[in-house]
Amino acid sequence: MRLKNLVLAAMLAASSLTASPSLAAAKDLLVVDFIAEPSSLDPHVQWNTDSFNVYRNIFDNLLTRDDQGQIAPQIATEWKYLSDTEVEFKIRDGVKFHDGKPLTAEDVAFSIKRITDPAFASPQLGQFNQIAEAVAKDPTTVVVTTKGPYPVLLAQLTKLSIVPKHVVESVSKDEFNLKPVGSGPYKFENWNRGVEVVVARNDDYWGQKGAFPKVAFRAVPDGSTRIANLQSGTTDLASNFNNDLAAQLESSGQGKVLPVKGERIAYFSLNVNKPPLNDKRVRLAIAHAIDKQGITEGILGGFDTPLDELTSPVSFGFVEGIKAPEYNPEKAKEILAEVGEAAKAEITLLTTPVYDQRVVQAIQQMLTDVGLNVKIESTDMGNWMQRMQSGPDTIPSSSFGRWSCGCQDADGILYPLLHSSSNWANIKDERIDKALDEARSTIDQAKRLELYKTVHQIVADENYVIPLYQASVIYGAAKEVEFSPLPNENLFLNRIGWSGN
């Protein structure tokens, strides 16, 4: 079906993205603790939390999401479909990069071409590879053409940062990473490697200005240290707390806990090509053996919510009524007894210290208790990602993982984890491939939802992957910080306020 021309942003553009943060008596320096320093400040390179939460404040994106999670204008003020495969964007007038040069449609088209250029080799390419072309028709108009109808385009473009063509073409890739120039609400000031990145407020910003003159993002790997920093007042906001650290902060009375249930899901991945997981009965036994409620309540303190499908309720494509196998360890034992000796083949459970090892160890124990032979193997995050993308023959037998695409759309998790063309996937199910291909090539949202329902039901029947829970992100903050965490884990500095004197 061909789309009628729709101006999708008119009403959104007339309203503010969010209530203005408190500007009165804001601190001169807001200090934010992350687990690690950014791996890149070039927004077209790495896509990880500790990177994008810094660089997204230096750069503007083509689109954004408001505090209610709806797609909203940023550099693009409005947009309309010219056809099923062409979208025209009107570019905000009067926006300047931090060097004073104007941001134009040419910069937008250049940014899209840069991140979709295979030679540039962006790790984010898979999020934008359905884009075939981007053309600046005039200084305030860009037309984006996709390879076919692509319903996830707008959701993906909320993650596309606009870089200045005149700067990027005049310096090396490494130089731009070390001294990024954007148009966002904060300007890059300095990067003390291994310690902190400091940004300064852009007082000429076209939109809502930040409350804090400067912000320091610090690398603090140890959770206990992040707590101590908050309690001593040397840190104002910190991320990645588990429930134990959250309880410690709350009981101290020296800060507050700010949790949000997000789009990120935790899952237990199974390589269905390796014994004994190539036996459907063994996978069913595993599904019966894992106590999701016990994990979320007993280990994670109730911040997280059990899931029966590989999509979070805050994302498009979540379907009510999907039922995965219920927790029933006795049933798991019965099934494995039927399988016999073959079920006792060793299963490697790959993990990384970035993940909560209490959960990983609990899964190992639950599977051991029903008679499976599970051995935990731990490696660093880089190696974990490399091995999990190595193809069906070499992907480990099983692994614990957590996934967020930042797009709040089922396509962002189901396609990479389940479609046979993906390096992450180890299954080849023509029913799933067909449904996923159709879902990302039709703009009929009702049809897409039905297709995702089909995929969720097949996964529940075949237990190719075991969905575990909707993960929460838990922040700790000084009492004076005014901050509402977002499900997509974005941290916008100009949406943070300060209520202190």
Side-chain angles (χ1 to χ4, degrees):
M1 180 182 76
R2 208 166 170 76
L3 273 185
K4 297 178 180 179
N5 290 355
L6 295 173
V7 179
L8 300 176
M11 290 186 290
L12 285 168
S15 61
S16 173
L17 286 180
T18 181
S20 299
S22 298
L23 295 175
K27 292 185 67 179
D28 289 337
L29 177 69
L30 181 79
V31 179
V32 182
D33 285 357
F34 289 147
I35 287 181
E37 72 172 338
S39 51
S40 172
L41 292 180
D42 182 334
H44 296 167
V45 182
Q46 286 298 337
W47 175 253
N48 55 60
T49 303
D50 298 319
S51 293
F52 74 68
N53 273 332
V54 178
Y55 67 59
R56 72 172 48 264
N57 293 287
I58 299 171
F59 296 87
D60 283 318
N61 288 2
L62 186 61
L63 304 172
T64 190
R65 287 188 184 271
D66 62 22
D67 285 353
Q68 289 70 50
Q70 300 301 309
I71 294 173
Q74 195 164 59
I75 291 304
T77 58
E78 60 183 57
W79 49 95
K80 65 180 179 181
Y81 278 87
L82 304 178
S83 72
D84 286 359
T85 60
E86 295 175 295
V87 186
E88 180 182 275
F89 296 89
K90 284 296 180 182
I91 305 308
R92 189 179 299 278
D93 193 26
V95 178
K96 292 183 178 180
F97 287 110
H98 297 152
D99 63 358
K101 302 288 186 181
L103 185 156
T104 70
E106 192 62 41
D107 295 297
V108 174
F110 173 80
S111 298
I112 294 172
K113 290 178 180 179
R114 183 177 188 244
I115 204 168
T116 56
D117 181 1
F120 183 73
S122 171
Q124 302 179 55
L125 178 61
Q127 301 170 45
F128 301 104
N129 62 4
Q130 295 304 303
I131 296 175
E133 184 60 279
V135 176
K137 288 176 60 178
D138 58 52
T140 61
T141 309
V142 174
V143 175
V144 176
T145 304
T146 55
K147 296 175 181 177
Y150 185 50
V152 195
L153 177 66
L154 299 181
Q156 297 289 23
L157 290 178
T158 64
K159 302 179 294 184
L160 180 78
S161 296
I162 309 305
V163 300
K165 179 181 179 183
H166 66 278
V167 175
V168 172
E169 288 187 332
S170 65
V171 300
S172 70
K173 190 173 176 180
D174 288 341
E175 287 173 324
F176 187 68
N177 181 43
L178 292 173
K179 291 185 177 181
V181 177
S183 64
Y186 279 80
K187 302 178 182 181
F188 172 78
E189 187 164 286
N190 65 72
W191 185 356
N192 184 359
R193 290 287 186 142
V195 180
E196 66 180 9
V197 176
V198 177
V199 295
R201 183 171 59 206
N202 177 13
D203 290 324
D204 295 324
Y205 188 57
W206 59 266
Q208 175 63 52
K209 295 176 177 59
F212 307 93
K214 291 190 178 183
V215 179
F217 296 95
R218 303 191 311 188
V220 184
D222 181 65
S224 298
T225 304
R226 295 198 299 278
I227 286 278
N229 289 345
L230 277 171
Q231 292 172 332
S232 67
T234 58
T235 294
D236 304 301
L237 180 65
S239 68
N240 292 86
F241 286 1
N242 62 28
N243 59 300
D244 287 343
L245 292 172
Q248 183 181 334
L249 178 63
E250 201 155 55
S251 64
S252 74
Q254 295 174 294
K256 57 186 175 182
V257 176
L258 302 173
V260 61
K261 290 181 180 177
E263 70 162 9
R264 189 176 298 276
I265 69 164
Y267 62 96
F268 187 50
S269 177
L270 306 176
N271 188 336
V272 302
N273 302 286
K274 294 188 173 182
L277 304 175
N278 57 348
D279 189 323
K280 181 177 178 178
R281 296 172 297 172
V282 174
R283 300 196 301 271
L284 176 59
I286 289 172
H288 281 308
I290 297 177
D291 183 2
K292 301 176 189 179
Q293 194 73 40
I295 291 172
T296 56
E297 294 293 334
I299 297 175
L300 301 176
F303 286 99
D304 308 88
T305 304
L307 280 178
D308 285 336
E309 59 193 88
L310 289 171
T311 301
S312 160
V314 303
S315 297
F316 179 83
F318 177 82
V319 177
E320 296 284 355
I322 299 296
K323 297 295 181 186
E326 76 284 359
Y327 174 57
N328 188 337
E330 294 308 315
K331 180 67 175 175
K333 291 176 183 177
E334 291 174 12
I335 294 171
L336 294 174
E338 293 174 7
V339 175
E341 285 298 312
K344 296 180 181 179
E346 183 177 281
I347 300 172
T348 299
L349 198 175
L350 186 68
T351 186
T352 174
V354 172
Y355 298 138
D356 193 326
Q357 296 309 295
R358 300 174 303 170
V359 175
V360 175
Q361 291 163 9
I363 291 173
Q364 179 197 34
Q365 189 61 55
M366 290 169 186
L367 300 184
T368 300
D369 287 347
V370 299
L372 291 164
N373 179 14
V374 180
K375 178 184 178 182
I376 292 176
E377 180 185 350
S378 184
T379 186
D380 63 86
M381 190 66 188
N383 189 52
W384 183 93
M385 293 186 70
Q386 184 177 19
R387 291 177 64 183
M388 292 305 297
Q389 298 177 74
S390 62
D393 294 336
T394 54
I395 288 174
S397 300
S398 71
S399 70
F400 174 82
R402 286 162 42 103
W403 192 287
S404 169
C405 68
C407 61
Q408 292 184 241
D409 192 289
D411 178 84
I413 180 170
L414 298 181
Y415 207 94
L417 286 185
L418 299 174
H419 195 279
S420 62
S421 66
S422 169
N423 288 339
W424 288 89
N426 63 73
I427 68 168
K428 292 184 179 180
D429 190 314
E430 292 181 359
R431 299 170 299 169
I432 286 181
D433 283 357
K434 182 174 184 293
L436 291 177
D437 286 334
E438 289 184 14
R440 68 160 30 182
S441 61
T442 177
I443 48 183
D444 183 332
Q445 295 293 68
K447 183 177 180 181
R448 291 187 73 217
L449 204 58
E450 280 300 313
L451 290 164
Y452 288 135
K453 181 178 181 180
T454 297
V455 174
H456 291 317
Q457 194 56 61
I458 293 172
V459 172
D461 292 341
E462 300 287 345
N463 297 296
Y464 290 135
V465 181
I466 311 298
L468 296 174
Y469 53 87
Q470 177 188 13
S472 284
V473 181
I474 307 175
Y475 298 85
K479 291 180 179 179
E480 298 86 353
V481 169
E482 297 177 348
F483 171 55
S484 298
L486 300 174
N488 55 20
E489 300 181 33
N490 291 327
L491 191 152
F492 297 101
L493 294 178
N494 61 341
R495 302 190 200 181
I496 299 176
W498 184 265
S499 62
N501 297 319

